[in-house]
Amino acid sequence: MPELPEVETMRRGVLPVVGCRVAGVEVLRGTHKPIGVWPRPAALARRVTGQRIVDVGRVGKRVVLALECGDRWVFEPRMTGLVLLAAPPNWEHLRLRVRLSGRGPKELLYWDRRGLGLVRLCSAAEFARRYLSGTLGPDALEITDDQLRERLGGSRREVKVALLDQAAVAGIGNLYAAEILHLAAVHPQRRCCELTLGQWRAIGAAVRHVLQEAIRYEGSTLSDGTYRNALNEAGGYQNHHRVYDREGQTCVHCGRDTVRRIVQAQRSTFFCPTCQPRRGSAAGAAKIAALAATSAGRRKSDKPRPPTGKTKSR
DNA sequence: CCCCAGTCCTGCGGGC
DNA sequence: TGCCCGCAGGACTGGG
């Protein structure tokens, strides 16, 4: 389930490949159906071999290697994909091995248990067309409250479903949508067009706060253990979840009600009926005002543990 | 245009 | 104990 925090953690983890040259690439086929790789392996090897990696960026939930020729190599993990420098959780599901030369890591690996992910090499023009020109909304870490409201405020969709729309805002998935709405004190089934300006601000503040905290803890590793960072280590944010996967447990905020589970758009949604009433509450708005202040104040001093993050390229 | 249901894929856990 | 079915949710497609 890599969402923005997990993919950002992978991106930071593989930053040491910047400056290395691609010495070769192997597309591995085990007993499973091969993942999507574009172009086909022979053409891929021809285009990437000898190229220097000049940057590691992120676009939504994808890791992007920028090559010196201008091509962008996009790794899209979808449900279970991992971009790794260390040994993978299980060699059987290794899908791609990129051998590197130069000082730094000797190889970069793409692993994917379910094989729903894909790896695509794009020219600069194709990259822009696919990922930068309107098909993907502003990055969730950078979107402003006004942009969020402009892009979703007119929609009749339920707000939790709308937050998953990558064309509106890029990076939020099922887990963090639930966490964000609990912090913002907004019921997941409220329609976007019914939300107040204050509620959109609360959601905006919660988007930034939840995602930054999750990045600080290097993402969420659920009970299936699939998600790992680039060094094959588990994340820590699962210990700080407010509602996700906590059905029937006491709400950590109000301490009185229990977390409920409903299904929206064929996906589980977790929420607390007391903290997220169907109508907005003054208490929720006040809570968010305080939170927004601490979140903004923390941003500059919030250093992840090494390897440290760098500006992403887009 | 907007929105939704169905599809892909594998591992795991519940039920019998 | 072993088997089967349903579920997990990324992005995409086809259709209303």
Side-chain angles (χ1 to χ4, degrees), chain A residues 78-299:
Chain A
R78 299 211 181 167
M79 290 301 295
T80 51
L82 299 178
V83 183
L84 297 157
L85 292 183
N90 174 345
W91 287 99
E92 185 187 349
H93 296 113
L94 189 65
R95 310 291 186 151
L96 203 68
R97 181 200 307 269
V98 181
R99 286 184 290 109
L100 302 170
S101 64
R103 278 195 299 275
K106 290 287 169 278
E107 58 185 15
L108 179 146
L109 307 171
Y110 181 75
W111 182 93
D112 195 338
R113 177 163 64 76
R114 281 167 67 179
L116 292 175
L118 64 91
V119 176
R120 187 194 303 272
L121 182 68
C122 300
S123 67
E126 186 189 359
F127 179 76
R129 178 162 43 80
R130 281 186 181 276
Y131 303 110
L132 300 182
S133 61
T135 54
L136 214 56
D139 192 82
L141 280 181
E142 294 172 1
I143 196 168
T144 65
D145 299 349
D146 286 343
Q147 283 177 313
L148 201 56
R149 196 165 65 98
E150 279 161 22
R151 294 179 152 262
L152 293 176
S155 170
R156 286 192 44 78
R157 279 184 291 178
E158 294 174 346
V159 59
K160 189 275 190 163
V161 177
L163 285 174
L164 303 181
D165 182 354
Q166 303 300 297
V169 48
I172 300 169
N174 199 52
L175 189 163
Y176 292 104
E179 296 296 306
I180 285 162
L181 290 176
H182 182 257
L183 184 58
V186 173
H187 193 286
Q189 289 177 307
R190 292 296 305 279
R191 293 189 183 277
C192 290
C193 58
E194 297 168 350
L195 297 179
T196 65
L197 178 60
Q199 285 177 314
W200 281 113
R201 288 185 178 147
I203 292 169
V207 165
R208 291 183 288 276
H209 183 83
V210 167
L211 297 181
Q212 285 167 5
E213 282 295 286
I215 290 170
R216 216 158 65 82
Y217 286 99
E218 304 203 323
S220 299
T221 297
L222 303 183
S223 53
D224 71 359
T226 295
Y227 169 70
R228 325 289 290 182
N229 69 13
L231 300 179
N232 191 15
E233 300 162 336
Y237 195 65
Q238 65 281 1
N239 300 317
H240 301 268
H241 289 174
R242 300 158 180 278
V243 287
Y244 186 81
D245 211 12
R246 294 179 51 85
E247 184 185 13
Q249 299 183 43
T250 304
C251 172
V252 294
H253 181 252
C254 69
R256 291 181 286 128
D257 211 341
T258 57
V259 174
R260 312 299 163 87
R261 175 184 172 280
I262 59 175
V263 174
Q264 293 178 276
Q266 296 105 257
R267 280 145 177 79
S268 292
T269 298
F270 300 88
F271 72 104
C272 169
T274 294
C275 297
Q276 297 162 271
R278 285 184 178 266
R279 299 294 158 202
S281 71
K287 183 174 78 172
I288 289 306
L291 178 71
T294 59
S295 172
R298 177 191 318 214
R299 213 174 298 170

Side-chain angles (χ1 to χ4, degrees), chain A residues 10-62:
Chain A
M10 287 181 211
R11 183 190 78 82
R12 295 180 183 188
V14 299
L15 275 173
V17 305
V18 172
C20 294
R21 255 180 220 287
V22 176
V25 53
E26 290 170 68
V27 178
L28 300 146
R29 352 184 127 255
T31 54
H32 299 78
K33 179 188 180 294
I35 59 157
V37 176
W38 279 274
R40 304 320 308 170
L44 173 67
R46 196 175 341 113
R47 281 176 58 182
V48 298
T49 303
Q51 288 290 321
R52 189 184 298 279
I53 298 167
V54 295
D55 191 28
V56 183
R58 176 180 61 76
V59 57
K61 302 172 189 172
R62 304 162 179 93

